[in-house]
Amino acid sequence: MSNSIYIGYYFKVQPLQPATEILIAELGYAGFESFVENEDGVTAYIQKNEWQKDILDDIQILNSDEFEISYTFEDIEQTNWNEEWEKNFNPIVVDNLCSVRAPFHQKPNTKYDIIIEPKMSFGTGHHETTHMMIQHILNNDFKDKSVLDMGCGTGVLAILAEIKGAKPIDAIDYDNWCYLNSLENVERNNCKNITVLEGDANLLKNKKYDIIIANINRNILLQDMKTYTACLNKNGMLFLSGFYADDISIIQAECEKYMLKFAEKLERNNWVSLKFLN
């Protein structure tokens, strides 16, 4: 039995833009959850249990005469992931304030420096949604606030929240690798106020937070919005991402159903992140 839980697609794209951006958007709708752009195109990852044979049938750009796009795909074995990662992972800097890097990268000159060893969990800052969530944390007051990082991935958002003075912090992910990876990264960054939990919104019964960060996907956000609202303290802040500009109206309508007030929008390559106030 294979121990692969992800499938990697390697797309070669000519010309690169705007084809790569369109391709990533369409793959996101199809269920792919992480993308690494490179000089030839993009590598896209999807969980094996989300994959089906006709997964690319609705990717319209593959049939476009304007671009040449070819691809190969393979199962990503757990044991290969660190090697894959070191080939693909470059350090990032958000707004010249916060760097996210691996232990093998040189220390940059930024106010906040986060070190992660991502393995097969996602949320490194490269993806637009994580990048925007980092911006939200940088731009808002987290000092002494209780925080939930829902769908924590690598734990990078929870780690930055602690660096910005938040406590206590819960970081939750249903994926076992994300859970284990977040535990490692929390320890690696000497965090003392983060509790990492494996599970979903069922863990939130009787919990209360000043700030909730949920970078997941549209369907989970819509499904769990009632639970998030019940957990959010009065005057609390809710940051949402993991969806596209086209999804804003449906997300906003669901938030308004629970009396949450829209406060701010960030947008990056058609991905968006929204801030709501309770």
Side-chain angles (χ1 to χ4, degrees):
M1 177 180 167
S2 167
N3 64 353
S4 306
I5 60 165
Y6 281 87
I7 295 177
Y9 276 74
Y10 307 94
F11 292 93
K12 288 192 173 181
V13 182
Q14 282 289 340
L16 277 176
Q17 295 299 349
T20 302
E21 187 179 319
I22 297 167
L23 177 60
I24 288 172
E26 291 192 13
L27 292 170
Y29 275 118
F32 286 80
E33 65 177 61
S34 189
F35 309 94
V36 179
E37 293 186 55
N38 54 57
E39 59 194 21
D40 295 321
V42 65
T43 302
Y45 297 99
I46 186 167
Q47 288 195 50
K48 194 159 189 176
N49 59 12
E50 300 282 325
W51 180 86
Q52 44 205 332
K53 267 193 313 201
D54 60 357
I55 190 85
L56 298 185
D57 285 4
D58 293 328
I59 309 301
Q60 296 174 7
I61 193 171
L62 296 180
N63 303 316
S64 168
D65 296 333
E66 294 177 58
F67 312 107
E68 277 186 46
I69 302 177
S70 61
Y71 66 89
T72 59
F73 66 94
E74 65 175 359
D75 287 6
I76 304 292
E77 301 289 339
Q78 291 182 20
T79 50
N80 291 347
W81 181 245
N82 282 345
E83 182 188 337
E84 281 288 310
W85 195 258
E86 293 202 19
K87 282 192 297 192
N88 286 318
F89 181 37
N90 297 311
I92 68 146
V93 176
V94 178
D95 296 348
N96 294 316
L97 282 172
C98 178
S99 55
V100 182
R101 63 185 176 95
F104 50 84
H105 292 137
Q106 195 170 349
K107 188 178 191 304
N109 183 25
T110 54
K111 184 174 182 181
Y112 308 112
D113 179 37
I114 299 173
I115 302 171
I116 59 171
E117 186 96 61
K119 304 200 173 158
M120 185 49 107
S121 51
F122 300 115
T124 61
H126 287 79
H127 194 275
E128 282 84 346
T129 58
T130 313
H131 191 285
M132 288 184 290
M133 286 301 223
I134 289 173
Q135 288 180 303
H136 277 310
I137 297 172
L138 292 173
N139 293 337
N140 286 272
D141 178 17
F142 274 65
K143 187 161 177 55
D144 295 325
K145 308 282 192 191
S146 54
V147 172
L148 167 65
D149 178 5
M150 195 70 197
C152 59
T154 59
V156 65
L157 299 178
I159 292 164
L160 180 57
E162 171 159 336
I163 293 171
K164 288 282 311 283
K167 60 183 179 185
I169 302 161
D170 287 340
I172 297 177
D173 206 296
Y174 75 93
D175 184 294
N176 180 252
W177 281 23
C178 292
Y179 164 71
L180 295 173
N181 192 215
S182 291
L183 283 173
E184 288 179 21
N185 290 328
V186 162
E187 186 175 339
R188 181 173 283 109
N189 289 274
N190 300 310
C191 294
K192 306 293 184 235
N193 299 307
I194 300 172
T195 303
V196 182
L197 302 164
E198 184 176 1
D200 57 19
N202 290 317
L203 295 175
L204 300 178
K205 290 184 178 72
N206 303 318
K207 295 274 196 176
K208 283 288 186 183
Y209 303 97
D210 299 317
I211 299 172
I212 296 176
I213 303 164
N215 182 16
I216 310 180
N217 66 53
R218 188 191 76 163
N219 294 339
I220 299 289
L221 293 176
L222 292 171
Q223 170 191 299
D224 292 342
M225 195 68 69
K226 183 178 181 182
T227 305
Y228 301 154
T229 310
C231 293
L232 195 58
N233 285 332
K234 188 168 173 53
N235 301 318
M237 294 185 283
L238 173 65
F239 298 100
L240 304 174
S241 200
F243 51 92
Y244 299 101
D246 291 349
D247 300 318
I248 290 174
S249 58
I250 189 171
I251 294 284
Q252 194 163 345
E254 188 67 16
C255 288
E256 287 170 356
K257 192 194 296 185
Y258 300 107
M259 310 307 289
L260 296 169
K261 296 181 285 292
F262 171 74
E264 188 184 359
K265 177 185 84 169
L266 299 179
E267 186 163 354
R268 191 176 172 86
N269 295 335
N270 201 37
W271 294 89
V272 293
S273 180
L274 304 179
K275 173 185 176 181
F276 290 88
L277 301 174
N278 192 16

